[in-house]
């Protein structure tokens, strides 16, 4: 009988990896990195509980590292099969994996030089060299509609409205003449947002795996551009700068979109915006290439210029380490966008070390901040952050702007789930911390009358009736 094992994103929001076994074949859905506490990060160094060589296929819901960031280790452990994803996800995965490898090498080099790691000889989990073979194994599948991975596994993709290329996957398993439909929600985005299409609920599922990141919470009310304008004006007026922790592609474009509108309406002053990432590139070109994945309208053929809704007036890319460090010399108000979004590593750390001790500055946290991360510590009111072996006092203002979240809030998750034509026979909640998953479980039980359980790490469950 078909079965599924939760190899990650069970009891936490990272490390999405689900193993489906049916008709003698193994399919891995997503292959994410664990992020957050040391206990979670240590899992990245352990092999899977099965031989990676015995996995036949892999498929991705979207490009975020907590869904793709462990692929280099999977391939290093011997996985030689194809990794199916739609064209936008393939392009973004390539960018994110290269960026991830690059930053791990930068972080490791710094930790070795400054000797602040908890490990006597810090190593990168993988390097740029480990990423190359992964890219060879990526195989495009259609953005929409059905696709046969193999005679046993057929997937249909639905818009998830979370990042460019993000999908929910409906997997039909054929075994012994019987068909079982398993839906993987992927990460569900938000409704009525600029740039991305609304999430679409697949019509039916026998078994549903549903994310629960914000299963216990709604995002703040209020118009995003109003909230942003208020913060920008407040900080610039007192001569401060803003750090917006985020990867160069994704939520960053939502921010750019609103900044550009506010600049044009003269509701905020024009301040320089720095996007700091080794892989920083023209997001506009990327969005132009994948126009089926969003609803932005570019009035010019090529990126840039006044017809580009993502082009703020004073825009700078920092690719090299030197470019990145040079931003430290900017004393006039500016906006710095740099990863990682949960402040677990990457270049954003040196910007924080430089700007947190000054009360004029602000950090805007828009993404989910997992337990055990510096981002969560800031939200919880930490007065000190440990960065690169030093204690950095937090005097800067910390602002949570949930309006910029790429994740559905609780009622949006319920709206998405409510879109199924009938109740799934069984629902498993994944990709949520325990409190969030339990809160969504209770809501689904009372509002939808579904059979819902919270997934447990490394549990194997049967998918048949
Ligand atoms: Zn995601």
């Amino acid at each position: 009988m078909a079965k599924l094992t939760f190899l990650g994103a069970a009891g936490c929001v990272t490390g999405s990896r689900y193993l489906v076994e049916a008709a003698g074949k193994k399919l891995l859905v997503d292959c994410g990195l664990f992020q957050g506490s040391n206990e979670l990060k240590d899992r990245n160094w352990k092999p899977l509980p099965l031989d990676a060589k015995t996995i036949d296929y892999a498929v991705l819901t979207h490009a975020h590292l907590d869904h793709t960031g462990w692929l280099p280790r999977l391939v290093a452990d011997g996985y030689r099969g194809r990794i199916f994803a739609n064209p936008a996800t393939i392009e973004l995965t390539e960018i994110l994996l290269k960026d991830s490898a690059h930053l791990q090498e930068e972080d490791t080099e710094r930790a070795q030089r400054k000797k602040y790691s908890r490990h006597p000889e810090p190593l990168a989990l993988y390097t740029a060299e480990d990423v190359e073979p992964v890219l060879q194994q990526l195989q495009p599948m259609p953005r929409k509609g059905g696709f046969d991975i193999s005679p046993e596994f057929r997937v249909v993709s639905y818009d998830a409205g979370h990042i460019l290329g993000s999908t929910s996957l409906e997997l039909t398993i054929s075994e012994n003449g019987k068909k079982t439909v398993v839906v993987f929600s992927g990460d569900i985005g938000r409704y009525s947002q600029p740039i991305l299409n609304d999430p679409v609920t697949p019509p039916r599922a026998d078994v549903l795996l549903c994310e629960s990141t914000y299963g216990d919470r709604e995002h703040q009310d209020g118009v995003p551009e109003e909230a942003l304008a208020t913060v920008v004006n407040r900080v610039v007026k007192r001569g401060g700068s803003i750090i917006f922790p985020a990867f160069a592609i994704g939520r960053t474009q939502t921010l750019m979109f609103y900044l550009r509108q506010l600049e044009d309406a003269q509701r905020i002053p024009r301040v320089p915006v720095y996007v700091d990432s080794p892989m920083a590139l023209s997001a506009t070109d990327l969005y132009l290439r994948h126009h089926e994945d969003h609803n932005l309208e570019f009035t010019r053929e090529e990126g840039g210029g006044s017809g580009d809704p993502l082009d703020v007036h004073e825009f700078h890319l920092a690719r090299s380490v030197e470019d990145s460090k040079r931003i430290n010399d900017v004393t006039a108000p500016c906006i710095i966008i740099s990863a990682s979004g949960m402040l677990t590593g990457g270049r954003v750390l040196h910007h924080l070390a430089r700007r947190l001790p000054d009360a004029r500055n602000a950090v805007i946290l828009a993404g989910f901040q997992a337990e055990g991360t510096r981002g969560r510590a800031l939200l919880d009111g930490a007065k000190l952050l440990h960065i690169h072996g030093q204690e950095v006092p937090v005097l800067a203002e910390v602002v949570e702007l949930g309006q910029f979240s790429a994740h559905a809030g609780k009622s949006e998750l319920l709206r998405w789930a409510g879109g199924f034509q009938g109740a799934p026979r069984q629902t498993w909640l994944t990709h949520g911390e325990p409190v969030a998953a339990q809160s969504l479980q209770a809501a689904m039980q009372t509002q939808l009358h579904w059979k819902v359980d919270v997934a447990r790490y490394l549990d194997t469950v049967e998918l048949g009736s």
Side-chain angles (χ1 to χ4, degrees):
M1 184 181 287
K3 57 185 184 175
L4 182 143
T5 305
F6 300 102
L7 296 178
C12 60
V13 294
T14 59
S16 284
R17 306 169 192 171
Y18 309 111
L19 180 74
V20 178
E21 295 172 81
K25 298 287 182 188
K26 296 190 178 89
L27 167 70
L28 186 67
V29 180
D30 285 345
C31 186
L33 208 59
F34 285 99
Q35 295 157 312
S37 67
N38 288 339
E39 185 202 331
L40 286 178
K41 284 188 287 187
D42 287 346
R43 289 184 189 171
N44 292 323
W45 293 89
K46 297 190 182 122
L48 295 179
L50 73 156
D51 185 349
K53 294 188 195 75
T54 66
I55 299 172
D56 298 283
Y57 318 99
V59 63
L60 305 175
T61 60
H62 68 290
H64 274 149
L65 286 177
D66 59 327
H67 296 254
T68 64
W70 206 72
L71 284 169
R73 292 294 295 215
L74 181 78
V75 169
D77 285 351
Y79 178 67
R80 294 289 174 269
R82 285 169 290 177
I83 303 160
F84 295 99
N86 63 48
T89 299
I90 287 184
E91 193 167 353
L92 267 176
T93 298
E94 177 171 348
I95 296 167
L96 276 154
L97 288 181
K98 285 182 174 172
D99 185 89
S100 170
H102 219 98
L103 290 175
Q104 286 182 56
E105 290 177 80
E106 276 181 30
D107 286 351
T108 306
E109 187 273 327
R110 185 198 287 258
Q112 285 169 344
R113 190 160 35 88
K114 300 204 170 174
K115 300 191 183 353
Y116 57 73
S117 170
R118 66 191 165 103
H119 301 288
E121 292 195 31
L123 289 172
L125 185 65
Y126 49 83
T127 64
E129 255 175 41
D130 299 316
V131 171
E132 284 307 316
V134 176
L135 307 182
Q136 305 304 317
Q137 285 166 251
L138 285 166
Q139 281 280 313
M141 67 177 196
R143 175 71 184 86
K144 288 205 168 79
F147 174 72
D148 290 317
I149 289 178
S150 70
E152 304 80 22
F153 301 123
R154 176 178 177 80
V155 285
V156 184
S157 303
Y158 295 85
D159 259 320
H162 169 65
I163 60 163
L164 204 69
S166 65
T167 52
S168 299
L169 294 178
E170 176 194 276
L171 171 71
T172 302
I173 302 169
S174 300
E175 189 180 43
N176 303 328
K178 276 190 69 179
K179 291 190 190 304
T180 307
V181 178
V182 184
V183 168
F184 297 83
S185 72
D187 286 1
I188 300 167
R190 312 198 59 200
Y191 295 87
S192 309
Q193 295 288 299
I195 305 181
L196 295 177
N197 302 323
D198 277 359
V200 175
T201 312
R204 62 174 288 267
D206 296 314
V207 176
L208 168 64
L209 268 71
C210 185
E211 67 117 326
S212 56
T213 315
Y214 283 91
D216 59 339
R217 264 182 299 157
E218 303 294 351
H219 295 301
Q220 292 128 300
D221 284 337
V223 186
E225 58 265 46
E226 297 269 337
L228 181 65
T230 306
V231 180
V232 171
N233 284 319
R234 183 166 72 227
V235 176
V236 170
K237 199 172 165 193
R238 64 188 185 224
S241 292
I242 292 170
I243 298 177
F244 189 87
F247 184 65
I249 310 282
R251 195 177 302 114
T252 293
Q253 278 65 53
T254 313
L255 178 73
M256 295 289 189
F257 177 85
Y258 284 125
L259 285 174
R260 169 66 195 253
Q261 285 193 340
L262 291 168
E263 284 179 350
D264 284 352
Q266 299 186 338
R267 291 176 60 196
I268 58 168
R270 293 181 182 185
V271 292
V273 177
Y274 294 88
V275 173
D276 183 10
S277 157
M279 289 301 296
L281 41 69
S282 166
T284 297
D285 291 345
L286 188 77
Y287 281 72
L288 278 170
R289 276 197 294 282
H290 300 288
H291 52 85
E292 74 281 12
D293 285 279
H294 61 81
N295 50 33
L296 274 182
E297 283 186 22
F298 295 88
T299 51
R300 279 178 43 165
E301 283 292 293
E302 296 298 319
S306 59
D308 180 348
L310 300 178
D311 191 20
V312 293
H313 287 278
E314 261 201 74
F315 179 69
H316 306 271
L317 283 179
R319 283 199 186 86
S320 68
V321 173
E322 292 71 36
D323 288 344
S324 175
K325 285 182 180 159
R326 224 168 282 135
I327 303 172
N328 285 337
D329 301 331
V330 178
T331 50
C334 65
I335 297 173
I336 303 162
I337 300 165
S338 184
S340 76
M342 297 193 290
L343 319 181
T344 49
R347 292 178 177 178
V348 73
L349 294 184
H350 86 79
H351 296 300
L352 290 169
R354 156 86 172 78
R355 312 255 172 195
L356 279 179
D358 185 337
R360 293 175 303 170
N361 298 328
V363 181
I364 296 182
L365 296 173
F368 184 77
Q369 305 298 327
E371 278 173 355
T373 62
R374 294 185 186 87
R376 176 69 74 90
L378 278 188
L379 280 184
D380 291 344
K383 296 283 173 251
L384 281 176
L385 276 196
H386 293 272
I387 296 175
H388 298 151
Q390 302 195 332
E391 291 196 329
V392 176
V394 180
L395 294 170
E397 182 185 359
V398 176
V399 185
E400 186 176 19
L401 282 190
Q403 294 95 331
F404 285 84
S405 173
H407 277 278
K410 182 176 188 175
S411 54
E412 290 168 307
L413 287 171
L414 288 165
R415 173 176 169 184
W416 183 87
F420 282 97
Q421 285 164 11
R425 193 171 61 229
Q426 171 68 50
T427 296
W428 299 99
L429 296 181
T430 59
H431 204 287
E433 289 171 0
V435 173
Q438 285 156 16
S439 172
L440 187 64
Q441 178 190 27
M444 283 181 163
Q445 284 167 339
T446 52
Q447 295 182 33
L448 302 172
H449 310 290
W450 283 7
K451 184 173 181 317
V452 186
D453 288 289
V454 178
R456 284 188 309 197
Y457 182 50
L458 297 181
D459 264 10
T460 297
V461 297
E462 291 191 347
L463 296 172
S465 51

